[in-house]
Amino acid sequence: QVELVESGGGSVQAGASLRLACTTSGRTFSRAMMVWFRQAPGKERELVVGISRSGSTTHYADSVKGRFTISRDNAKNTAYLQMNSLKPEDTATYYCAARSTILTDNRFYTAFNDYPYRGQGTQVTVSS
């Protein structure tokens, strides 16, 4: 059983920074692609960022490029999402998700349900 637990959400002013963490249990972290989705009220859940199991390949949605950075620490079984220059439109529930991959598989699926391991979400609220 693999569990993902997000932390680090909160309420901030526009322009501020937050760092989210996704800590996993189990022994599969180093073999898993890690991604973050977000869902704002009344909107569909969207893929925001992703990082391959090796860390060599990343994915960023256009809306967060240059502001968000995903990283991973395999020794700590944790993936991080550093969010800078936050905007009110970044307000959403952020979900961590993962899927086990082979080393050469760097496909970032855009459907949340394509990731077998999913967290419960952490709220990020950005006020203007």
Side-chain angles (χ1 to χ4, degrees), residues 38 46-50 59-68:
R38 69 183 180 187
E46 62 172 344
L47 176 65
V48 180
V49 298
H59 166 82
Y60 293 94
D62 288 342
S63 58
V64 305
K65 282 180 180 176
R67 300 187 300 119
F68 289 14

Side-chain angles (χ1 to χ4, degrees), residues 36-102:
W36 288 90
F37 283 78
R38 69 183 180 187
Q39 186 168 24
K43 294 188 177 181
E44 294 187 356
R45 198 169 307 187
E46 62 172 344
L47 176 65
V48 180
V49 298
I51 188 167
S52 62
R53 62 176 268 184
S54 69
S56 63
T57 302
T58 55
H59 166 82
Y60 293 94
D62 288 342
S63 58
V64 305
K65 282 180 180 176
R67 300 187 300 119
F68 289 14
T69 303
I70 187 171
S71 61
R72 63 189 298 154
D73 185 338
N74 287 353
K76 296 183 178 180
N77 287 350
T78 301
Y80 301 98
L81 177 57
Q82 178 67 42
M83 304 186 294
N84 298 330
S85 302
L86 282 162
K87 303 175 180 180
E89 51 263 45
D90 294 319
T91 295
T93 301
Y94 285 72
Y95 299 88
C96 177
R99 68 181 184 91
S100 295
T101 67
I102 60 175

